[in-house]
Amino acid sequence: MSEFLQSPAGHAVIGIVIALLAVLIIELNYRWFFKRAFDALFALIAIIVMSPVLIAFAIVSGYRNGTVLEKTSVLGKRGKIIFLSAFSGINGRAGRLARIFDVFCGRLSFVGVRPLALSDGALLSDEDMGRFAARPGLICHLILSGNENLTYEQAFRLDS
């Protein structure tokens, strides 16, 4: 047996077993640990890659408005109030590039439920509170599936 394990075929078998165990561990712990770790890692990579654009937006925002970031309050995981960042004075989705810092800090995830405004949160029923089990995301399943025309009731049911 030890001769087989020391052969190239044995090394391949050991590598496959280790890879399968790693995938199993990641799959079992994905929701509790790895999703957050992957979000932080990929957000850091995105910040590094997009740093020239982020710096340019910060300079333009500071020059136009005197402040670089503006904060928006929404309901996050477990119904807590979180503040999301956007570049002030930058219109459209480009201003929301600052939310990559929110992903890195753990306020957002790359994929999660849609961030919910405080005024909309006041209208939720007890059945809709299940949506707060997940961290809000930059991209939500409604955008990914193309179902942006859903009613609030349908969207909350899908979030839950």
Side-chain angles (χ1 to χ4, degrees):
M1 181 70 144
S2 67
E3 288 180 24
F4 173 73
L5 293 177
Q6 293 176 358
S7 70
H11 289 270
V13 169
I14 291 171
I16 290 171
V17 169
I18 290 172
L20 288 174
L21 285 173
V23 168
L24 181 66
I25 290 169
I26 289 172
E27 182 64 31
L28 292 175
N29 293 311
Y30 178 74
R31 287 181 81 186
W32 294 281
F33 175 74
F34 286 103
K35 184 172 187 336
R36 174 68 193 114
F38 288 149
D39 281 343
L41 174 68
F42 291 126
L44 179 63
I45 291 170
I47 289 169
I48 291 169
V49 169
M50 296 186 327
S51 61
V53 174
L54 296 172
I55 291 170
F57 281 176
I59 291 170
V60 169
S61 294
Y63 179 74
R64 283 185 181 171
N65 294 358
T67 62
V68 175
L69 296 175
E70 58 186 24
K71 300 286 187 171
T72 305
S73 57
V74 297
L75 292 173
K77 189 173 182 178
R78 297 186 194 102
K80 294 181 181 176
I81 297 174
I82 60 172
F83 296 94
L84 301 181
S85 306
F87 287 114
S88 59
I90 306 289
N91 293 328
R93 293 180 188 230
R96 289 189 241 157
L97 278 178
R99 290 191 180 172
I100 196 71
F101 296 110
D102 296 326
V103 173
F104 182 72
C105 294
R107 290 184 286 272
L108 284 179
S109 180
F110 276 110
V111 179
V113 296
R114 182 180 298 230
L116 189 65
L118 297 177
S119 58
D120 291 338
L123 302 174
L124 293 179
S125 66
D126 289 339
E127 297 96 31
D128 300 329
M129 298 307 278
R131 78 179 311 277
F132 295 116
R135 185 174 280 123
L138 289 177
I139 300 172
C140 70
H141 61 85
L142 299 174
I143 294 170
L144 293 175
S145 64
N147 292 329
E148 291 189 15
N149 296 327
L150 295 175
T151 64
Y152 272 121
E153 294 81 19
Q154 293 168 332
F156 289 138
R157 188 174 58 247
L158 286 173
D159 284 345
S160 297

